[in-house]
Amino acid sequence: MRLEDGFKLDFDDVLIRPKRSTLSSRKLVDLKRSFKFRHTEAVWLGIPIIAANMDTTGTFEIGNVFKKHKMLTAIHKFYSLEEWEKALSSSQISPEYTAVTFGIEEAENAAIFFESLKKKNIECPKFICLDVANGYNEKFLDFVKKIRDQFTNPIIAGNVVTGEMTEALILAGADIVKIGIGPGSVCTTRTVTGVGYPQLSAIIECSDAAHGLSGHVMSDGGCATPGDISKAFGAGADFVMLGGMLAAHEESGGASIERDGKTYKEFYGMSSDTAMERYYGDIKDYRASEGEAISLEFRGPIDKTIQQILGGIRSAATYVGAKDIKDLQKCTSFVLKYK
Ligand code: 5GP
């Protein structure tokens, strides 16, 4: 056994210290950022916030609203090819602001997906998201390499929480490494397995490793407020992925529930019993559920929530004198809260 010394921090453990600033208005803050990627010629300009590839948040309906704000959506894995074709050819979603998700056994699915769209002259999603709950498996590195050899799209791969694995994924072909094990709002990994890493420290450590290799990181999970998103960017995240904050809206997936005169919408982890039963029929007897199912009060159209989020980040930027989202990292000093 080894015990690592020193504190590791979550979003809740810190606040952003205000600084003297010449920015007179939030309007002067530009949240769009342009990206070049380590492994591809592709460039991307947009607000680097992305809807999680959960079936409740990575929906075509959320994609439709997000693209108007130049924000990304990682579409969930459970749409059929026909549904994709329809969404892309009707411009419900924009390829430029879309990621398609594949799991570890799905290299063949990826080839079929891209070939089918190309054959019909439909523009393919720009980003490929390779998503496994535990990115520490050697097999995952091989999978990333395999996809890298096949495609020129920017690749998002994860999840991991430490610098050495971030580097390994970038060297294997990932452009953006997804960071987060255990911080998700409906994730029970920390309680079921005892495994995890405080998210703010994970971002600080992994972004340092990634940036040294011209790679990027995407913070995934644990943002419950717009302030948490600003802290994630301040800590070094290039992109921030959101699940729970986007759930229970008109455009979110999940059934509506009427209770005591109020409307709720269901929201659940992708490793919860609810999701397993829905998509895989049952739960394999050697594994435990690592996600929970909750119902959240209905929040109306997602546009309002987006405004709150973007307004919050703009305001954070003016408090520290950051003119854009990239600057937020340079201008951020965190203060530790006393607990
Ligand atoms: P949130 O923004 O809700 O805090 O976190 C969203 C993230 O939680 C997702 O992008 C994904 O990485 C993670 N997540 C989603 N479902 C589950 C689950 O069932 N179990 C675990 N461990 N993580 C999940």
Side-chain angles (χ1 to χ4, degrees):
M1 195 284 287
R2 222 183 106 222
L3 177 65
E4 273 189 35
D5 237 358
F7 291 108
K8 299 293 175 190
L9 304 168
D10 263 319
F11 295 129
D12 260 359
D13 297 321
V14 299
L15 287 168
I16 300 168
R17 188 185 208 279
K19 282 189 188 146
R20 215 154 74 187
S21 156
T22 52
L23 282 168
S24 52
S25 159
R26 287 166 208 197
K27 269 192 281 185
L28 301 174
V29 178
D30 188 3
L31 297 183
K32 289 193 295 301
R33 179 177 161 190
S34 63
F35 287 88
K36 286 184 184 159
F37 301 101
R38 178 183 160 114
H39 294 285
T40 81
E41 296 287 304
V43 289
W44 187 77
L45 174 74
I47 299 180
I49 293 178
I50 175 164
N53 51 322
M54 302 168 76
D55 65 344
T56 41
T57 59
T59 63
F60 289 145
E61 290 78 9
I62 285 190
N64 181 255
V65 184
F66 264 42
K67 73 165 190 199
K68 294 174 192 157
H69 294 273
K70 297 193 182 324
M71 290 156 75
L72 279 164
T73 305
I75 301 295
H76 68 70
K77 288 199 309 193
F78 305 102
Y79 285 117
S80 67
L81 195 50
E82 289 70 36
E83 289 172 307
W84 266 99
E85 287 173 8
K86 211 170 134 208
L88 284 164
S89 48
S90 67
S91 299
Q92 184 184 13
I93 55 169
S94 152
E96 188 66 15
Y97 300 104
T98 303
V100 54
T101 305
F102 300 106
I104 191 157
E105 309 285 355
E106 295 176 342
E108 214 170 294
N109 286 359
I112 296 171
F113 178 86
F114 279 89
E115 269 165 33
S116 311
L117 292 180
K118 277 181 193 152
K119 239 188 236 161
K120 296 200 168 163
N121 273 330
I122 299 172
E123 198 184 330
C124 298
K126 180 149 198 165
F127 293 86
I128 298 178
C129 180
L130 305 178
D131 193 36
V132 291
N134 171 9
Y136 282 82
N137 197 320
E138 284 289 319
K139 248 173 70 181
F140 187 54
L141 285 176
D142 295 337
F143 176 57
V144 172
K145 279 188 199 133
K146 200 165 166 184
I147 298 288
R148 175 77 291 155
D149 289 344
Q150 270 177 275
F151 299 99
T152 55
N153 308 56
I155 293 178
I156 306 163
N159 281 18
V160 298
V161 284
T162 50
E164 90 286 357
M165 208 57 198
T166 301
E167 286 167 358
L169 282 168
I170 290 171
L171 296 174
D175 298 287
I176 304 164
V177 178
K178 201 143 69 76
I179 308 301
I181 292 187
S185 57
V186 281
C187 163
T188 56
T189 296
R190 286 178 184 177
T191 48
V192 173
T193 68
V195 176
Y197 210 95
Q199 186 68 2
L200 191 87
S201 288
I203 301 169
I204 293 170
E205 292 167 26
C206 296
S207 63
D208 189 47
H211 295 163
L213 292 172
S214 310
H216 294 101
V217 294
M218 177 180 288
S219 171
D220 176 18
C223 287
T225 62
D228 291 340
I229 304 174
S230 295
K231 289 176 188 175
F233 283 125
D238 303 290
F239 295 81
V240 177
M241 180 173 257
L242 303 176
M245 287 184 73
L246 310 177
H249 292 85
E250 238 167 68
E251 298 82 354
S252 321
S256 294
I257 306 152
E258 298 290 332
R259 205 168 50 218
D260 306 328
K262 277 189 180 160
T263 307
Y264 297 82
K265 245 179 151 169
E266 62 172 350
F267 180 55
Y268 45 83
M270 294 314 291
S271 312
S272 64
D273 292 356
T274 310
M276 296 283 190
E277 280 160 20
R278 184 154 305 168
Y279 296 111
Y280 304 103
D282 61 354
I283 301 154
K284 302 227 165 39
D285 54 12
Y286 57 82
R287 61 178 295 173
S289 146
E290 283 181 33
E292 59 179 345
I294 57 175
S295 52
L296 296 169
E297 205 168 322
F298 181 61
R299 296 174 178 157
I302 202 158
D303 239 332
K304 264 198 192 156
T305 300
I306 295 174
Q307 252 179 41
Q308 272 296 109
I309 290 174
L310 301 185
I313 303 170
R314 275 204 187 90
S315 186
T318 54
Y319 269 112
V320 297
K323 63 180 186 320
D324 56 34
I325 220 158
K326 196 167 179 199
D327 231 18
L328 197 50
Q329 193 191 335
K330 279 187 231 143
C331 298
T332 294
S333 300
F334 288 118
V335 285
L336 269 177
K337 291 201 290 191
Y338 179 77
K339 281 196 176 173

